[in-house]
Amino acid sequence: MEFGGGHIAPAWFAPAMNTALNTALAPLNERMERVEQKLGVVAAAVSNRKLEFQNRNLLGSPGLDRPWLPLNKERRHFGLAPPGTQGNNNETPQAVLEVFAGPAPEPGEDVVPPPEIFPTDRSVSLTQVQIGYISRWYNNDFGVRVGDNAEARTKKFHDFLYGQ
């Protein structure tokens, strides 16, 4: 390897420089990854404001032929189902078990739950257990507290979809 003034570097120099550069740049690379993650969350949040508006408009729409619009994932990881929405694992559909057995997707725009988790058909009433699946996927308890009845839990889920 030749450098400044035609001097030849020893054979060990290039690998040593690569190691030194990689070590020096590692913190910068880690920071860039965190910035990218945060940008994904911001993009999801901005997009969600539009989706929430559209879901609010569905609330007053006659007929139930238009589907709910699932929001983008804004929080990392899967969460726990809120009180009153936990199901029995023996009754959990295999497709749902498979979703939660894998890694949670990173938050971002167009990162929405699969149909096994979030059925968009408004003509079908969601069960409390289905609301629990959705809550786990979003890592958001929707404000559900111990003592909330089914009606209150469903309202809090709808408030989440409407951005309220």
Side-chain angles (χ1 to χ4, degrees), residues 41-108:
V41 171
V42 169
V46 169
S47 178
N48 280 347
R49 300 307 77 86
K50 179 181 174 186
L51 293 168
E52 291 162 353
F53 177 77
Q54 291 171 320
N55 279 332
R56 278 193 302 275
N57 287 338
L58 287 175
L59 177 64
S61 299
L64 298 174
D65 54 344
R66 290 182 17 211
W68 294 117
L69 301 172
L71 303 181
N72 299 294
K73 187 168 179 67
E74 291 185 34
R75 296 180 179 177
R76 298 184 75 203
H77 310 293
F78 292 134
L80 300 173
T85 65
Q86 301 92 344
N88 178 343
N89 265 353
N90 296 331
E91 299 171 5
T92 303
Q94 185 61 34
V96 172
L97 290 172
E98 289 173 7
V99 168
F100 290 121
E106 287 296 321

Side-chain angles (χ1 to χ4, degrees), residues 1-3 9-26:
M1 176 176 177
E2 206 172 299
F3 65 97
W12 57 265
F13 184 75
M17 281 302 293
N18 280 339
T19 301
L21 280 173
N22 287 337
T23 302
L25 293 177

